[in-house]
Amino acid sequence: MNFGQKISLLAAASLLTVSSAVAQISPGDLAKPHEFLEGIPNCTKCHVLGSKINGDKCLDCHTEIRERLSEGKGYHSSAEVKGKQCIECHSDHHGKNFDMIHFNPADFDHRLAGFELSKPHAELKCGDCHNAKFIKSEKARAKKYTYLGLNASCLTCHADYHLGTLSSSCLNCHGPETFKTAPAFSHDKARFRLLGKHRSVECVKCHKFETINGSKFQEFRGVAFASCINCHTDPHQGKFGQDCRRCHNEESFQVVKGMNNFDHNKTNYPLVDKHLSVDCRACHKTKFTDPVKHDRCTDCHEDYHKGQFSKNGVSPDCSDCHNIKGFTIFSYTIERHNMGTFPLKGAHVAEPCSDCHKQQGSWQFRNIGTKCVDCHPDIHKSFIDEKFYPGSKCLTCHNESDWHIIAYDHSVTSFQLTGAHMKQPCTTCHMKPGPSGARLQKFAGMSGDCYTCHNDVHHGQFDLNGSTDCAACHGTDRWTPAKFDHNKTAFRLDGKHVNVPCAGCHKPQREGNATFTVYKIKDFRCESCHF
């Protein structure tokens, strides 16, 4: 091999080495939108050396996506995409013709973009809205195709029919289905509420059409309504002024009030309070001059209580309890209530009438019961023998001022309360926590043995036949052994022993997790204590 052939072979090997290195660095050609980034010097524009692709670098170029993300808007801010890296959906290096956006418009859930498609939007083609003529952003509009650049405002795509005279938020009045009606609009929220016959007048009667700059326009703002004559012709030609309401109302011009200046107080029945707002025709069914019965409330009003207060077939007049300021205002006093079959005492005085007299949805004043259990559930039923509170009479233990104040004669039971037991609330013994922590009632079948409530601190030293009689040494006033007499034990105290503290002989002892004082000393020879 001559020198020239060697040089040629070396050059070929060098080219193969460079080509192999490039092939190892780049996994493939970039797609056409990214082809301007081809070449090793551009790698770090997308890649972070020694790490994976960082989405922040993508957003350095795709600023329109970054802006949407910062505002929390659009598809990329939805729960389906948020938190993902760009590379998870938009990979590259798969060839120039690779489609980095895997998107099927037919399967896309438009709600993820922050704009739910309702009819007729759902029936449109994507390009009907995602169209350059509706895109405000110049950068987005310059793209060959894009779904960015639109906002959810109706006026982005639709012309402003009202020419800026009303709010730009069309959905305040219209629905998305059609602009022809305004189902969300309520004239009651306008400055001119529609009353009476006005409700059946066609809109165009007041809101006229006109043409402005070649466009059809209907006037909704600025329509005068301060006076009836703004719309209606005055047949009286101003003779009675311009306040039509003095004689007429919105129901009909044919109906004449004609009574505005009439002084009802000059009759035998002056109008006061609620009667002042009653329409004349409600009482005067025929001519105004025909006499009207008015001696009793029921001459006009039905007996709301349906005869519950009648005696011998005659109901008392409503005015016995109510007045004409309103039927909800009554003058039936507690003193009058206490003259009935159920005097109000204690907490019952503060109860609203409806708690007892309207339990079934309608007012009832007869035969609603006088026993506690007629209104209150008997929570002790099946827990306490009825002989201790005959007829479920709660007052056997409780009083009407406060359920928590209890006065029960415990001596009628098999366990008489003495000493410190008399100071304990009933719940200490009769309402103890169950396995779940909830307090459970227990009255029947309770033992009178001390150890059923109290722990045996003597660790069974004084058990006789499986039971400890605490009362042999202790009283119920305190735990000190007031009844204990050492001289009745197997070791009488005499001499110096009398002054020795108990702890001098009775030492604490530990068994398992329990520590207790030993009182049952088996060996009490002198040498067992004295050395």
Side-chain angles (χ1 to χ4, degrees):
M1 183 184 295
N2 59 33
F3 181 75
Q5 288 175 324
K6 289 181 179 180
I7 293 298
S8 298
L9 187 60
L10 260 174
S14 298
L15 287 172
L16 283 172
T17 304
V18 172
S19 175
S20 175
V22 171
Q24 289 177 4
I25 292 173
S26 174
D29 290 339
L30 293 173
K32 285 183 179 180
H34 286 164
E35 64 183 353
F36 68 96
L37 294 170
E38 287 284 9
I40 292 175
N42 292 323
C43 292
T44 55
K45 291 184 178 179
C46 298
H47 298 272
V48 177
L49 290 177
S51 181
K52 296 180 180 180
I53 290 179
N54 189 319
D56 285 340
K57 285 186 174 287
C58 301
L59 298 178
D60 288 341
C61 287
H62 297 280
T63 55
E64 68 277 15
I65 300 296
R66 183 188 292 278
E67 183 179 343
R68 299 291 282 170
L69 287 172
S70 66
E71 295 173 351
K73 295 179 179 179
Y75 173 66
H76 290 91
S77 295
S78 69
E80 184 172 292
V81 180
K82 191 173 182 179
K84 291 184 177 181
Q85 288 293 323
C86 305
I87 188 66
E88 293 182 48
C89 299
H90 308 293
S91 61
D92 205 341
H93 287 293
H94 302 295
K96 291 187 176 183
N97 295 319
F98 179 69
D99 186 1
M100 290 186 294
I101 302 176
H102 311 295
F103 177 71
N104 184 357
D107 296 334
F108 182 65
D109 184 354
H110 214 285
R111 290 175 297 182
L112 297 173
F115 187 84
E116 183 176 359
L117 295 183
S118 56
K119 289 186 177 181
H121 292 129
E123 299 170 351
L124 297 175
K125 296 178 180 178
C126 301
D128 291 342
C129 297
H130 294 282
N131 191 308
K133 65 181 180 181
F134 299 134
I135 297 176
K136 296 290 190 292
S137 167
E138 292 185 8
K139 184 175 181 180
R141 193 164 54 242
K143 291 177 177 290
K144 290 182 179 180
Y145 67 93
T146 183
Y147 289 95
L148 301 174
L150 296 182
N151 64 52
S153 171
C154 302
L155 299 183
T156 300
C157 298
H158 301 280
D160 183 4
Y161 178 80
H162 301 297
L163 302 181
T165 59
L166 299 179
S167 168
S168 61
S169 181
C170 306
L171 293 179
N172 287 350
C173 300
H174 303 281
E177 292 80 12
T178 175
F179 280 116
K180 295 295 184 182
T181 58
F185 174 73
S186 172
H187 223 293
D188 289 340
K189 296 179 181 178
R191 289 188 297 161
F192 185 80
R193 295 182 60 203
L194 298 183
L195 303 173
K197 291 293 184 180
H198 286 142
R199 290 188 176 275
S200 59
V201 175
E202 294 181 17
C203 304
V204 72
K205 294 285 188 181
C206 300
H207 300 284
K208 307 294 185 182
F209 282 100
E210 57 181 303
T211 300
I212 297 180
N213 297 329
S215 299
K216 190 177 181 180
F217 172 74
Q218 189 173 12
E219 183 182 23
F220 288 99
R221 187 182 294 276
V223 178
F225 59 87
S227 174
C228 301
I229 61 171
N230 291 138
C231 291
H232 302 281
T233 302
D234 180 9
H236 307 299
Q237 299 179 348
K239 292 179 181 178
F240 301 106
Q242 295 181 352
D243 186 7
C244 306
R245 294 183 183 85
R246 291 181 58 192
C247 301
H248 304 281
N249 59 42
E250 290 90 345
E251 295 298 331
S252 173
F253 279 122
Q254 306 303 318
V255 178
V256 179
K257 297 177 183 177
M259 303 298 291
N260 279 359
N261 297 321
F262 180 73
D263 187 358
H264 213 288
N265 293 334
K266 292 182 180 179
T267 69
N268 294 330
Y269 194 84
L271 296 182
V272 294
D273 296 322
K274 287 288 185 180
H275 287 145
L276 287 169
S277 60
V278 176
D279 184 71
C280 304
R281 291 293 182 185
C283 300
H284 299 277
K285 306 290 186 182
T286 56
K287 298 178 182 178
F288 286 118
T289 55
D290 289 344
V292 176
K293 289 180 65 176
H294 58 270
D295 295 329
R296 293 172 56 85
C297 300
T298 51
D299 289 334
C300 288
H301 302 280
E302 291 183 6
D303 180 3
Y304 181 80
H305 300 299
K306 300 178 181 178
Q308 291 187 65
F309 297 108
S310 63
K311 292 181 180 179
N312 301 321
V314 179
S315 295
D317 195 54
C318 308
S319 59
D320 283 2
C321 300
H322 304 278
N323 60 52
I324 50 181
K325 292 183 181 294
F327 279 119
T328 56
I329 301 171
F330 54 87
S331 57
Y332 192 79
T333 62
I334 292 175
E335 289 73 22
R336 288 182 66 182
H337 200 291
N338 291 344
M339 295 169 64
T341 57
F342 190 84
L344 297 179
K345 299 176 182 177
H348 286 140
V349 174
E351 289 298 307
C353 307
S354 57
D355 280 5
C356 299
H357 294 289
K358 203 177 181 182
Q359 294 188 56
Q360 305 302 323
S362 61
W363 289 96
Q364 297 294 327
F365 294 90
R366 290 285 184 261
N367 302 318
I368 62 171
T370 57
K371 297 179 180 179
C372 302
V373 291
D374 290 329
C375 289
H376 305 281
D378 181 3
I379 65 170
H380 301 306
K381 190 175 182 179
S382 76
F383 290 99
I384 301 179
D385 195 313
E386 191 178 356
K387 69 182 180 182
F388 294 111
Y389 70 130
S392 296
K393 187 178 181 181
C394 306
L395 295 177
T396 305
C397 301
H398 304 276
N399 64 55
E400 294 164 299
S401 297
D402 190 337
W403 282 116
H404 300 92
I405 299 175
I406 300 172
Y408 180 68
D409 184 5
H410 217 281
S411 63
V412 302
T413 70
S414 60
F415 189 84
Q416 186 168 348
L417 298 181
T418 59
H421 288 146
M422 299 180 68
K423 301 175 183 178
Q424 295 299 315
C426 305
T427 53
T428 302
C429 300
H430 296 291
M431 297 284 283
K432 293 189 174 182
S436 66
R439 294 172 75 87
L440 303 176
Q441 296 187 58
K442 186 171 178 59
F443 291 90
M446 296 183 68
S447 171
D449 294 329
C450 304
Y451 62 83
T452 59
C453 289
H454 304 284
N455 293 327
D456 180 6
V457 299
H458 302 307
H459 212 60
Q461 294 178 74
F462 300 103
D463 274 8
L464 289 175
N465 300 320
S467 176
T468 298
D469 182 14
C470 304
C473 298
H474 304 279
T476 56
D477 291 317
R478 59 184 63 84
W479 281 113
T480 54
K483 297 180 181 181
F484 178 71
D485 184 355
H486 212 293
N487 292 331
K488 292 182 179 179
T489 69
F491 188 84
R492 294 172 56 85
L493 297 181
D494 53 17
K496 289 290 185 178
H497 287 143
V498 173
N499 297 321
V500 174
C502 301
C505 299
H506 300 283
K507 306 294 184 180
Q509 179 176 315
R510 184 172 183 82
E511 286 186 9
N513 294 325
T515 301
F516 58 94
T517 301
V518 178
Y519 289 100
K520 289 277 188 171
I521 299 175
K522 296 179 181 179
D523 184 3
F524 41 80
R525 292 175 300 167
C526 299
E527 59 268 24
S528 65
C529 290
H530 303 283
F531 298 98

